Amino acid sequence: MSAKRQIRFNAFTMNTVGHQAPGLWAHPRDQMHRYRQLSYWTELARLLERGLFDGIFLADVLGIYDVYGASHDAALHHAVQVPSNDPLLIIPAMAAVTEHLGFGTTFSLTYEHPYPFARRMSTLDHLTEGRVGWNIVTGYLDSAAKNLGMAKQMAHDDRYDMADEYLDVVYKLWELSWEDAAIERNKATRRFTNPLRVHGIGHEGVHFSVPGIHLCEPSPQRTPVLYQAGASSRGRLFSGRHAECVFMCMPTAQLLKRSVDDFHAALAECGREKSDALVYGQALIITGESRAKAEEKLAEYRHYLDLDASLALLSGWTGVDFAKFDLDATVEYIENDAGRTALASFSKADPSRTWTVRAAAEFIALGGRGPVLSGSVADVCDQLVSWFEATGIDGFNLAFAVANETFEDVVNLVVPELQRQGRYRSAYQPGTLREKLFGRGPRLPANHRARQLVL
Amino acid sequence: MSAKRQIRFNAFTMNTVGHQAPGLWAHPRDQMHRYRQLSYWTELARLLERGLFDGIFLADVLGIYDVYGASHDAALHHAVQVPSNDPLLIIPAMAAVTEHLGFGTTFSLTYEHPYPFARRMSTLDHLTEGRVGWNIVTGYLDSAAKNLGMAKQMAHDDRYDMADEYLDVVYKLWELSWEDAAIERNKATRRFTNPLRVHGIGHEGVHFSVPGIHLCEPSPQRTPVLYQAGASSRGRLFSGRHAECVFMCMPTAQLLKRSVDDFHAALAECGREKSDALVYGQALIITGESRAKAEEKLAEYRHYLDLDASLALLSGWTGVDFAKFDLDATVEYIENDAGRTALASFSKADPSRTWTVRAAAEFIALGGRGPVLSGSVADVCDQLVSWFEATGIDGFNLAFAVANETFEDVVNLVVPELQRQGRYRSAYQPGTLREKLFGRGPRLPANHRARQLVL
């Protein structure tokens, strides 16, 4: 009998007050108002490492949710991803109190030049001793672009073309500028670096001109573990080419399976193997010592949800101003200016049901566009295994309702049960994040685009 | 009898292998090769806090020293400020292990948009609980500009004009976007922020367009403590307008005094008081248990200096390629393309002496362009007090020769002797960095430009 595939967990959060549970910051036990304190993050990191999570995954937006009612008032009132602080700066303190936990951070390449960004990520990879990952995003809020002096953000597909060049620049800096043998660090010969083994990358492209060398010596992983969450067809090609970890957020196992299959096809088109990337499906686990206690907890959480806050989030995600619709209006297939049809997933989720604005807002208010898995520990483990087996994902990107109660429940209750079932590891693998995730590394494999570039 | 003025210490370092002691990374006891490890920085932070230092001051350049011989080979060979990592990312881990130490970090505003930068600094001010400072620089290496897609860096005075607008943008974000009463964080009313008290800054300038609100809630100091080191006449005006702490690096007490007086005049021109800013003079202390031991140490350090490395540094600072000159050529008043005459200070330092390329390289190799104060603990304290009294500075920005031996000697030997003489405090003041430095705050005073802007 072959060993059961083991489930992986990532924690999904953000350096802000209200991430994906609009209104729940006001829950009496919620701790997210402490996001400004290092101690909040070091406590969370220790908890997740105790639960043998692959990593903590930090979302980020540089803009504000101001589509709803053409105003940022609802976002501010309910702390919907605003105020929000920089995600990179909480990683070093979390790294200092952990040994194995990975740190995946979102960083939008539309808004910063690749030369200083490459140095930032190399610095993090050094300081974490090879435990850093980068969630490549191209930005989706016009409000961010406007504050960076652009009239509005670049068109969707243009962003991906620019992103491909951006990645070539940082790949060259990370992978090709310094040979492995460049660093001698020899106090006897008094030579730190052999200059003949350090190369200017000579990049001259459409968007960027970077002639020089990378400023950092090679870090443990060189290129950080690459995360992506793109769901559009251009986004899928981008993921197939670059991503090592993909986050998906789908309301049903059927839709999630289709996305997983699509992604595996995109990987193959790019000459990569299924085993070259991991897929995490988003989910929110709400559990307790018994089914009754879990149900009570879920009802209590729902009490703190806020419809306005939820619609501010949904309007920002989709670009559709839901303030213009009646709460009981049907929402399927609303097209917005950018041609995004994110709302289609609601009718796909349950075609038999009539989706209203209210229903959509209530749906995303817990766990975003992913499922809520609730019930007793046994119930939740059954659902996790069922999703896991039905979809072909490698693990879950776990959202939270109440910080850090949700993750405490997972670590204290769900992880031990999954371990008992042989569905969850009992110790970390050694090495860098890439070695822990793939059992090989620390560098990207030879079939990845970053390893195929030449100067 | 009035109390003696007390001397302040700052530690001057950089997230790199060789900062201002070219070649000394190869000293057997030097630890700078550990710059990639969090533990190096947390050890240093604890040491400096034990010594009641005002703060750690992190230099940074985004470019490479490639003026010497029109090549970066010497810089790479001897690790002259390359490889170098990002300075911001080491601060959170140091903050987590200290309670009082300040963190001044260099960040060049020529190379990053003010909108994300403002968020980075607010994040650091939150995470350090108000202990962060920003050393405002406009960049001086063409190599940095080239890798950011510019043909070369902006002309010197244009950089300062752009810098003034940059500062207006970040001041508006930090000081005016969120009123004090904006944050309610009230779980009972379920209102986190009062939207009526948060304002888009509506900035439309020559260089920047930033209509929106700051993404961060007000941090303890709002605007970080502002550091500056500009020495040009345009630079002095800039310092007079903005700086709260100024770093100066002069080879003689006479020259330093003149600069201090000039700066105080610039402060007055900008409607600010002498007490509104602190001046730190750069110095390198080399001492030991006895005068003989200190002399032995100094000789030993000199043994590891490297002339090539020193000339790479000097060429980068001045823009003059010293590889074109004989080591015994006289160097006074060499003009370079940018019209910088930094070399003039050598002849000013000692007009009676003939300054050769070799002499200049040897001079800056220990302690940069500042003095080396060496001898027994008593000798060093005499020199410190003498410079302090003769120049009107408020303290010293201490360079190091061997990490962390130089700072250990200061903390273990010099600080106790200065305390005994009533010249050094015995405990930190409470509060944020600004409150510790000025006994008022945590915000900038009303006479500072940042507090006079309106939306």
Side-chain angles (χ1 to χ4, degrees):
Chain A
M1 196 183 109
S2 67
K4 292 174 191 164
R5 280 203 311 143
Q6 291 193 333
I7 292 173
R8 298 171 167 281
F9 283 155
N10 240 294
F12 191 26
T13 185
M14 183 169 169
N15 194 355
T16 191
V17 179
H19 179 211
Q20 292 217 351
L24 269 156
W25 70 270
H27 187 286
R29 295 192 299 277
D30 189 84
Q31 295 291 305
M32 278 315 288
H33 59 278
R34 289 177 54 215
Y35 77 101
R36 296 168 300 151
Q37 297 170 16
L38 284 170
S39 62
Y40 171 76
W41 296 103
T42 53
E43 282 167 27
L44 177 61
R46 284 196 180 98
L47 171 70
L48 299 175
E49 181 153 292
R50 181 156 66 78
L52 304 174
F53 275 47
D54 280 350
I56 181 168
F57 176 56
L58 297 162
D60 189 42
V61 286
L62 201 60
I64 190 168
Y65 288 77
D66 60 2
V67 173
Y68 182 62
S71 156
H72 52 221
D73 285 3
L76 283 165
H77 185 120
H78 300 287
V80 178
Q81 303 191 6
V82 66
S84 92
N85 283 351
D86 184 278
L88 273 63
L89 291 162
I90 53 178
I91 293 174
M94 292 195 284
V97 300
T98 53
E99 198 182 332
H100 297 286
L101 191 69
F103 304 98
T105 182
T106 299
F107 202 93
S108 171
L109 45 71
T110 324
Y111 305 137
E112 174 163 40
H113 193 280
Y115 194 65
F117 175 69
R119 188 168 73 136
R120 284 207 179 91
M121 290 310 284
S122 292
T123 302
L124 280 178
D125 202 47
H126 280 300
L127 295 177
T128 62
E129 297 179 38
R131 290 189 280 148
V132 81
W134 169 33
N135 178 37
I136 310 163
V137 300
T138 61
Y140 58 92
L141 294 178
D142 280 343
S143 55
K146 278 180 192 145
N147 286 311
L148 290 152
M150 313 178 204
K152 58 188 291 183
Q153 60 181 343
M154 295 168 70
H156 181 269
D157 284 12
D158 291 348
R159 292 210 305 274
Y160 277 107
D161 290 342
M162 192 274 263
D164 275 325
E165 187 185 337
Y166 192 109
L167 283 168
D168 279 358
V169 173
V170 293
Y171 289 159
K172 288 175 187 173
L173 290 168
W174 288 328
E175 299 288 337
L176 297 170
S177 183
W178 295 64
E179 296 178 30
D180 282 336
I183 295 288
E184 298 182 353
R185 209 181 285 115
N186 188 330
K187 291 198 176 198
T189 63
R190 297 194 190 180
R191 184 154 84 168
F192 192 91
T193 303
N194 179 350
L196 298 176
R197 296 190 181 279
V198 185
H199 314 285
I201 64 167
H203 180 90
E204 281 294 337
V206 176
H207 302 278
F208 304 107
S209 160
V210 182
I213 69 165
H214 189 33
L215 292 172
C216 307
E217 61 180 291
S219 67
Q221 301 183 116
R222 286 183 174 253
T223 298
V225 172
L226 301 168
Y227 297 72
Q228 237 274 308
S232 66
S233 57
R234 182 67 180 86
R236 203 175 53 229
L237 178 65
F238 187 82
S239 293
R241 189 180 292 162
H242 302 287
E244 299 177 85
C245 294
V246 170
F247 294 115
M248 293 180 180
C249 189
M250 291 290 163
T252 69
Q254 204 179 355
L255 287 170
L256 182 56
K257 181 181 189 318
R258 197 181 306 160
S259 290
V260 174
D261 292 345
D262 280 357
F263 172 64
H264 287 152
L267 272 181
E269 281 165 40
C270 298
R272 300 171 67 205
E273 307 291 324
K274 202 170 143 174
S275 59
D276 284 331
L278 299 173
V279 179
Y280 297 80
Q282 185 167 325
L284 171 63
I285 292 173
I286 295 176
T287 188
E289 280 76 9
S290 67
R291 189 175 294 168
K293 283 196 175 162
E295 278 167 11
E296 198 180 307
K297 205 178 270 180
L298 180 56
E300 187 204 32
Y301 290 175
R302 286 202 198 282
H303 175 66
Y304 289 93
L305 292 177
D306 190 282
L307 217 58
D308 240 25
S310 185
L311 289 171
L313 197 58
L314 190 62
S315 296
W317 285 346
T318 58
V320 174
D321 178 4
F322 282 99
K324 293 181 179 162
F325 296 83
D326 190 272
L327 279 176
D328 296 310
T330 307
V331 300
E332 51 187 323
Y333 293 98
I334 293 175
E335 290 265 351
N336 70 343
D337 292 346
R340 279 171 277 176
T341 57
L343 295 172
S345 59
F346 290 103
S347 40
K348 281 190 204 155
D350 185 354
S352 67
R353 178 175 167 185
T354 302
W355 284 91
T356 60
V357 171
R358 185 194 311 275
E362 284 172 352
F363 183 83
I364 67 141
L366 273 182
R369 282 170 287 197
V372 177
L373 310 181
S374 69
S376 69
V377 174
D379 294 341
V380 165
C381 290
D382 285 351
Q383 294 171 68
L384 285 166
V385 170
S386 160
W387 274 73
F388 184 68
E389 290 297 328
T391 59
I393 58 172
D394 300 282
F396 294 88
N397 192 33
L398 295 177
F400 65 93
V402 169
N404 289 331
E405 186 167 288
T406 302
F407 293 131
E408 284 164 2
D409 287 344
V410 172
V411 169
N412 295 331
L413 302 174
V414 177
V415 164
E417 175 56 22
L418 288 176
Q419 285 172 327
R420 208 190 52 76
Q421 297 182 13
R423 283 291 189 180
Y424 199 89
R425 64 180 157 221
S426 53
Y428 279 108
Q429 293 298 307
T432 62
L433 179 57
R434 184 170 286 118
E435 288 163 286
K436 284 180 168 63
L437 295 176
F438 298 102
R440 53 151 176 77
R443 294 182 66 174
L444 279 164
N447 66 349
H448 192 280
R449 176 172 176 82
R451 298 300 301 276
Q452 293 165 347
L453 296 169
V454 288
L455 293 185
Chain B
M1 194 184 110
S2 67
K4 292 174 192 165
R5 280 205 310 143
Q6 290 194 333
I7 293 173
R8 299 172 165 280
F9 284 153
N10 240 295
F12 191 25
T13 184
M14 182 170 170
N15 195 355
T16 191
V17 179
H19 179 212
Q20 291 216 354
L24 268 157
W25 70 270
H27 187 287
R29 295 192 298 277
D30 188 84
Q31 295 290 305
M32 278 312 290
H33 59 278
R34 288 177 54 216
Y35 76 103
R36 296 168 300 151
Q37 297 168 16
L38 284 170
S39 61
Y40 171 76
W41 296 104
T42 53
E43 283 167 26
L44 176 62
R46 285 198 179 98
L47 171 69
L48 299 175
E49 181 154 291
R50 183 157 64 78
L52 304 174
F53 275 48
D54 279 350
I56 181 169
F57 176 55
L58 296 163
D60 189 42
V61 285
L62 201 61
I64 189 169
Y65 288 78
D66 60 3
V67 173
Y68 182 62
S71 156
H72 52 221
D73 285 4
L76 283 165
H77 185 120
H78 299 288
V80 178
Q81 302 190 8
V82 64
S84 92
N85 284 351
D86 185 277
L88 273 62
L89 292 162
I90 53 178
I91 293 174
M94 291 194 285
V97 300
T98 53
E99 199 182 331
H100 297 286
L101 191 69
F103 304 98
T105 183
T106 300
F107 201 93
S108 171
L109 47 69
T110 325
Y111 305 137
E112 174 162 40
H113 193 280
Y115 194 64
F117 174 69
R119 188 169 72 137
R120 285 210 178 88
M121 290 310 283
S122 292
T123 303
L124 280 178
D125 202 46
H126 280 299
L127 295 177
T128 63
E129 297 178 38
R131 290 189 279 148
V132 81
W134 170 31
N135 178 37
I136 311 164
V137 299
T138 61
Y140 58 92
L141 295 176
D142 280 342
S143 55
K146 279 181 191 146
N147 286 310
L148 290 153
M150 313 177 204
K152 59 187 295 184
Q153 61 180 342
M154 296 167 71
H156 181 267
D157 283 10
D158 292 348
R159 291 209 306 273
Y160 277 106
D161 290 341
M162 192 275 263
D164 275 325
E165 186 185 338
Y166 193 108
L167 283 167
D168 279 358
V169 174
V170 294
Y171 289 158
K172 288 175 187 174
L173 290 168
W174 288 327
E175 298 288 337
L176 296 170
S177 182
W178 295 63
E179 296 177 30
D180 282 336
I183 295 288
E184 299 183 352
R185 209 182 286 116
N186 188 330
K187 290 196 176 202
T189 64
R190 295 194 191 181
R191 184 155 84 166
F192 193 91
T193 303
N194 180 348
L196 297 176
R197 296 190 181 276
V198 184
H199 313 285
I201 64 167
H203 179 89
E204 281 294 335
V206 177
H207 301 279
F208 305 107
S209 160
V210 181
I213 69 165
H214 189 34
L215 293 172
C216 307
E217 62 181 290
S219 67
Q221 302 183 115
R222 287 185 174 254
T223 298
V225 173
L226 300 168
Y227 297 73
Q228 236 275 307
S232 66
S233 57
R234 181 67 180 86
R236 202 176 50 229
L237 179 65
F238 187 82
S239 293
R241 187 178 295 161
H242 302 287
E244 300 178 85
C245 294
V246 169
F247 293 116
M248 294 181 179
C249 189
M250 290 290 163
T252 68
Q254 205 180 354
L255 288 170
L256 182 55
K257 182 182 187 320
R258 197 180 308 160
S259 290
V260 173
D261 292 345
D262 281 356
F263 172 64
H264 286 154
L267 272 180
E269 282 166 39
C270 298
R272 300 172 66 205
E273 306 291 324
K274 204 170 142 174
S275 60
D276 284 331
L278 299 173
V279 179
Y280 297 80
Q282 185 167 324
L284 171 63
I285 292 174
I286 295 176
T287 188
E289 281 77 8
S290 67
R291 189 176 294 170
K293 282 195 176 163
E295 279 167 10
E296 198 180 305
K297 207 178 269 181
L298 180 56
E300 187 203 31
Y301 290 175
R302 285 203 198 283
H303 175 67
Y304 288 93
L305 293 178
D306 190 282
L307 216 59
D308 240 26
S310 185
L311 289 171
L313 198 58
L314 189 63
S315 296
W317 284 347
T318 59
V320 175
D321 177 4
F322 283 98
K324 291 181 179 162
F325 295 83
D326 190 272
L327 280 176
D328 296 309
T330 307
V331 299
E332 51 188 324
Y333 293 98
I334 292 174
E335 290 264 355
N336 70 341
D337 292 345
R340 279 170 279 174
T341 56
L343 295 172
S345 60
F346 291 102
S347 39
K348 280 190 207 157
D350 186 354
S352 66
R353 177 175 167 186
T354 303
W355 283 92
T356 60
V357 171
R358 186 195 309 276
E362 284 172 353
F363 183 83
I364 66 141
L366 273 183
R369 282 170 286 195
V372 177
L373 310 181
S374 69
S376 67
V377 173
D379 294 340
V380 165
C381 289
D382 285 351
Q383 295 171 69
L384 285 166
V385 170
S386 159
W387 274 73
F388 185 68
E389 291 297 330
T391 59
I393 58 173
D394 301 282
F396 294 88
N397 192 33
L398 295 178
F400 65 92
V402 168
N404 289 333
E405 187 167 287
T406 302
F407 293 130
E408 284 163 2
D409 287 345
V410 172
V411 170
N412 295 330
L413 303 174
V414 177
V415 164
E417 174 56 23
L418 287 176
Q419 285 172 327
R420 209 189 52 77
Q421 298 182 13
R423 283 291 190 180
Y424 199 88
R425 65 180 157 223
S426 53
Y428 279 108
Q429 294 298 307
T432 62
L433 178 57
R434 183 170 287 117
E435 288 164 285
K436 286 181 167 63
L437 295 176
F438 298 101
R440 53 152 176 75
R443 293 182 67 174
L444 278 165
N447 66 349
H448 191 280
R449 175 170 177 82
R451 296 300 299 277
Q452 294 164 347
L453 296 170
V454 288
L455 291 186

